[in-house]
């Protein structure tokens, strides 16, 4: 009996490793259209909503979906990073990544969220 329990435990552990390795880390790429007053983010996986909070900001500001996995924020005033990002996972809940986009972001740069989806 003990060997059967050990076998089941080994199978369960292997299944968890396979499931965990299938997840993709969410990344945010700053698109070429970004500037001091505009932030355009492209995600590598589909998400439903994206909001950012500027450094020292009290409120989350929603980005508009402007294409497939592309989210845009336009501002009249210069944007202040680093930016925290809150997003809604399709068929899931809200997630927050603090200071994921640095103050000195550059167009074309990609930033990892540390969140597996």
């Amino acid at each position: 009996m003990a060997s059967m329990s050990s076998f089941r435990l080994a199978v369960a552990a292997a299944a968890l490793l396979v499931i965990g390795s299938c997840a993709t880390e969410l990344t945010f790429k700053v698109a070429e259209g970004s500037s001091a007053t505009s932030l355009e983010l492209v995600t590598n996986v589909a998400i439903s909503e994206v909001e950012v909070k500027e450094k020292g900001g009290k409120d989350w500001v929603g980005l508009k979906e402007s294409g497939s996995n592309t989210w845009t924020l336009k501002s009249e005033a210069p944007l202040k990073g680093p930016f925290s990002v809150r997003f809604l996972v399709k068929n899931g809940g809200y997630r927050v990544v603090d200071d994921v986009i640095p103050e000195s972001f550059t167009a074309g740069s990609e930033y990892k969220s540390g969140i597996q989806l």
Side-chain angles (χ1 to χ4, degrees):
M1 284 283 190
S3 62
M4 188 60 144
S5 296
S6 297
F7 176 74
R8 286 182 183 160
L9 181 60
V11 169
L16 287 174
L17 286 173
V18 169
I19 291 169
S21 66
C22 293
T24 300
E25 182 177 10
L26 173 66
T27 61
F28 297 97
K29 182 176 181 181
V30 178
E32 296 298 327
S34 299
S35 67
T37 58
S38 176
L39 180 62
E40 187 173 320
L41 300 177
V42 180
T43 60
N44 63 326
V45 296
I47 51 181
S48 298
E49 295 176 20
V50 177
E51 299 171 309
V52 296
K53 188 185 323 182
E54 296 179 71
K55 178 180 180 176
K58 295 179 183 175
D59 299 319
W60 291 95
V61 178
L63 279 69
K64 293 185 180 179
E65 190 169 17
S66 57
S68 178
N69 295 346
T70 303
W71 302 86
T72 305
L73 171 65
K74 296 191 184 278
S75 173
E76 292 183 18
L79 298 169
K80 298 175 188 169
F83 300 92
S84 295
V85 178
R86 178 168 68 181
F87 59 94
L88 179 61
V89 179
K90 290 188 185 282
N91 299 321
Y94 282 95
R95 309 273 174 86
V96 175
V97 185
D98 290 323
D99 301 337
V100 67
I101 309 294
E103 180 176 6
S104 57
F105 69 85
T106 55
S109 295
E110 185 172 271
Y111 302 100
K112 296 180 178 183
S113 69
I115 295 177
Q116 302 288 325
L117 301 177

